[in-house]
Amino acid sequence: MLYFFPIPYPDELFYSMVCRYHVRSGNRSFRQTQLDLFETAGTKQYYLGLPNNLATLINQLPFGSSLTLNQLLEKHTLFPYYQTFLTNREVKRLRELMEGKESKSIAQVAKIPKLKLYYPDYLRFCPQCLAEDLQQYGETYWHLEHQFPGIKVCLNHRVGLQNSRVLVEEMGKGFMAADEENCVGDGVSYDGEVLQGLWVFGKVIEGKMRERRGFKGLEGLRDEYKQGLMKLGLLEEERLVAAMLERYGEGVLRLIHPEMMENLGEYVSGCLLGCDLLQEVDRVVHWFVEGIILT
Ligand SMILES: [Zn+2]
């Protein structure tokens, strides 16, 4: 049984709660913190925002703690993000993996593409959130929403998210809190239309997280795309590309998803019309196109 565990802040990334536990525990090693919380010291897949072994932690929370497994999953991990485009059965499997000790296949079950977009180099932060959190809570923390693939600006402050000094791949090895030493801005800023475009698309992603519809599977989705694009005369790759460029602007597309730009038409068509054949779901591309079909 733990003596304490930090009460999560609004929109706090689970990893951040573990960092705050580590700091307060006075543990000298990260390994000891792992043992305290998870009873094992193996590396965890924090980097995807899809940690596992959560049931072990919940079961040893101090008496009186009201934190539940559901709360953790829904409010403090990327589970709501990655459960999109998964059938109920697949969602159940992902949830089981996050609750349990096995972690190896989490990325596979969540169907995460092996792209930089989904495996960023650094944890991100918003300078204004940082200042406000410090003022309001006396400490800072990693925000969940700032880590969503495809979100490039803080949706509260409309400023560009900055890369911190904390490498995402280091997250499994140590607990680096979002403090002023780690959160030094990289000077990124956007203006005018680009900022607005990034913000609008960020709001689309945020909205998707709130939708709770039973997903029927990728085969049905492919047919929906076919019909939707046909209706708009966008079934041809070139036309679809033109519509995407017009709707979002090349700058916004390139900032959010640079890897698709080299071969935009072919890539997007493959994602949509071949979606039932792929092992991975490039969610951001789907949301780009939904934005065109559904508006
Ligand atoms: Zn902010």
Side-chain angles (χ1 to χ4, degrees):
M1 189 68 85
L2 296 167
Y3 291 110
F4 75 98
F5 191 72
I7 295 167
Y9 290 124
D11 189 47
E12 184 174 16
L13 186 67
F14 174 69
Y15 171 78
S16 175
M17 293 153 65
V18 177
C19 293
R20 292 197 296 120
Y21 173 86
H22 177 74
V23 171
R24 281 189 215 169
S25 70
N27 285 338
R28 294 214 181 142
S29 68
F30 296 128
R31 185 185 144 82
Q32 187 56 51
T33 293
Q34 297 254 35
L35 288 172
D36 285 0
L37 303 180
F38 305 107
E39 294 173 352
T40 63
T43 47
K44 306 282 178 309
Q45 300 198 333
Y46 299 111
Y47 62 90
L48 293 168
L50 298 173
N52 68 306
N53 217 347
L54 295 177
T56 304
L57 173 69
I58 290 291
N59 287 336
Q60 52 170 346
L61 286 178
F63 185 71
S65 168
S66 61
L67 190 61
T68 65
L69 196 64
N70 246 1
Q71 267 176 334
L72 266 191
L73 284 172
E74 297 286 342
K75 305 269 185 215
H76 304 287
T77 74
L78 266 76
F79 178 74
Y81 186 96
Y82 284 113
Q83 76 168 350
T84 58
F85 301 99
L86 297 181
T87 61
N88 289 342
R89 211 171 140 179
E90 291 162 338
V91 169
K92 191 167 166 257
R93 178 76 186 123
L94 180 59
R95 181 184 281 266
E96 281 167 3
L97 282 174
M98 292 178 72
E99 289 177 16
K101 294 186 193 298
E102 187 198 341
S103 72
K104 276 186 190 147
S105 51
I106 279 188
Q108 202 185 339
V109 171
K111 300 190 176 181
I112 305 175
K114 290 173 195 69
L115 296 169
K116 261 276 159 62
L117 171 61
Y118 299 96
Y119 291 85
D121 288 331
Y122 296 95
L123 277 172
R124 295 185 291 267
F125 72 99
C126 157
Q128 291 191 33
C129 285
L130 190 81
E132 284 179 13
D133 293 342
L134 199 57
Q135 195 175 31
Q136 189 170 354
Y137 305 112
E139 64 178 334
T140 52
Y141 60 96
W142 300 113
H143 283 243
L144 173 67
E145 201 172 77
H146 298 162
Q147 320 309 328
F148 280 177
I151 292 189
K152 305 286 285 180
V153 296
C154 174
L155 299 181
N156 289 327
H157 297 109
R158 287 199 191 215
V159 296
L161 295 174
Q162 314 273 313
N163 281 331
S164 73
R165 289 181 175 169
V166 174
L167 277 167
V168 167
E169 65 178 27
E170 298 288 318
M171 289 165 76
K173 299 174 198 153
F175 303 115
M176 281 76 72
D179 54 26
E180 285 162 294
E181 224 168 89
N182 288 327
C183 295
V184 180
D186 59 3
V188 124
S189 80
Y190 314 105
D191 45 32
E193 269 179 45
V194 169
L195 182 66
Q196 176 66 11
L198 293 173
W199 183 79
V200 167
F201 189 65
K203 293 299 276 185
V204 168
I205 295 181
E206 194 190 39
K208 294 289 167 192
M209 298 309 96
R210 297 211 190 93
E211 276 175 23
R212 284 285 181 275
R213 54 181 181 133
F215 182 62
K216 297 278 184 330
L218 292 165
E219 241 168 80
L221 186 67
R222 181 202 56 200
D223 295 341
E224 272 177 43
Y225 281 136
K226 239 184 198 165
Q227 283 175 8
L229 291 173
M230 197 135 59
K231 229 186 246 172
L232 296 169
L234 298 176
L235 210 48
E236 268 174 54
E237 274 173 33
E238 283 156 36
R239 291 199 173 192
L240 180 57
V241 166
M244 282 181 79
L245 291 171
E246 194 192 312
R247 172 84 168 78
Y248 300 103
E250 188 181 341
V252 169
L253 292 176
R254 199 173 283 285
L255 279 166
I256 293 177
H257 201 323
E259 290 154 296
M260 73 174 179
M261 294 307 282
E262 235 171 77
N263 223 335
L264 186 58
E266 199 180 315
Y267 185 83
V268 172
S269 290
C271 276
L272 305 181
L273 303 175
C275 63
D276 54 323
L277 304 172
L278 300 171
Q279 303 296 317
E280 298 156 351
V281 181
D282 193 338
R283 288 154 174 90
V284 168
V285 168
H286 286 265
W287 291 326
F288 274 139
V289 175
E290 278 183 17
I292 293 174
I293 295 182
L294 302 176
T295 49

